[in-house]
Amino acid sequence: MSIDGTVSADATAGGAGSYTGSGGSVLLVADSIGGSGMVSARGGDSGYCAGGGGRIALVQTGSATDFSRWTGTTTAVGGYRAAATLGAPGTIYFETADRKMCGDLLVKGPGEVYWSYNSNQAGYSRMRTDSPDLRMRAAMLTEVMTETNLTFNTVTISDYAILGVKSGVSLACNRLVCEGYNTNSLSLYGGTVVLPENSTHFANTSFRVFADGSQVRFADDVTEKTLTIGTNCEFVCDASCAIDGNLVVKDAGLIDHTMQRTTGTTYHVDLAVAGDLTVAADSKIYADAYGWNDTTAPGYAQEGSNRAGSHGGLASLASGAVCYGSVTRPVLAGSPGRGNGGTGGGFIRLQVAGQTRIDGLVTASGKPRIYPDPNYKSEFYPQGAGGSIWLTTGSLVGEGRI
């Protein structure tokens, strides 16, 4: 098969105020695939809400072991409108006969940010957004009308893309390529990722857990089961995640969660580690100011212009605030300061079957309000209260700080 023209399952573009459709499906199966044309399953452009990308699969059944004859363009990007409303890209799959049902998966974005985020004193980022729409906008692997145990040779996430794995789906690969901090991300929405090797798995990237029941497992032939959060890597853990092995945070690696903001929000670091946990001296598990910024919080002062927040202890001039939460099983965030007060600390839950070594920092402190204007001295305004840290472990060692 030679494609020098266009094979397209694109959605139709819409006008102002329109809601466009997603890209469709393209499945090409041939002895050999070549040419310099285009295979496309783009989402529809829109003046309001753009469609998501579709799915493309190129399958060679002959003796060729690569796609060197194919020099054309393969795209499943989402539709375009503006940075906040671009559709998420779809998936592109390449398979050769020597890797039947274990080809290469590509999730390639548009080359620019297609998800936005709210900016406030807690520092929401592209990877830590509280918008339900933006948290779900990804190339998603689901159990709806498809395979649920997926194995690939190489999985590549590039050009501003997010690959999501939903509940009931397992993603395994021999090699994972996801580079670019705050740019590309592998995100678990209750699904499972099976890691292929002993070495550092996440560096210069972003990894997210956004739904309970998520799992990190290792391939059967891996002898040292260790997940490493390394250089320039942020692991955003907003829900429960089980790690079937050791967890190491080093080389300035970071584990954190999205700011809870309101008392009805439950984002928090919740990790169950089957082996050992190590936090190196230059690394941290961090939830400072990721707690409540809600006037209904129990530790929020009811009177006065500027009052600090309360939680386990009552703040000075607390004015109607109360202490709250469990002494032995703390699970609640810190309350905010009143007036120009800061946000309370978040919540970190760590269950470690083996040894926990903390040489770095595990923190859920409250913070003062952060002002962009340097003429405002943030430290003069009331602090939010500290949050919660609940650690269960076989043993605790190290010279760091909790």
Side-chain angles (χ1 to χ4, degrees), residues 265-398:
T265 307
T266 60
Y267 305 143
H268 65 285
V269 174
D270 190 350
L271 293 170
V273 181
D276 299 332
L277 168 65
T278 301
V279 181
D282 59 356
S283 301
K284 56 190 175 183
I285 301 176
Y286 185 86
D288 285 3
Y290 290 168
W292 292 335
N293 191 23
D294 184 348
T295 59
T296 67
Y300 181 78
Q302 300 302 305
E303 300 175 353
S305 58
N306 290 294
R307 298 289 186 267
S310 301
H311 182 188
L314 201 64
S316 61
L317 302 175
S319 306
V322 297
C323 294
Y324 58 93
S326 172
V327 174
T328 61
R329 302 292 189 270
V331 297
L332 298 176
S335 294
R338 180 181 174 87
N340 291 309
T343 305
F347 170 36
I348 297 170
R349 172 70 171 117
L350 302 172
Q351 302 176 71
V352 182
Q355 180 188 84
T356 297
R357 171 174 288 277
I358 306 295
D359 291 317
L361 180 64
V362 178
T363 177
S365 299
K367 289 285 187 179
R369 186 171 181 177
I370 306 300
Y371 287 94
D373 185 342
N375 293 319
Y376 287 94
K377 301 297 184 182
S378 297
E379 63 268 24
F380 295 159
Y381 291 93
Q383 299 260 0
S388 292
I389 298 173
W390 179 9
L391 168 63
T392 305
T393 184
S395 61
L396 178 63
V397 299

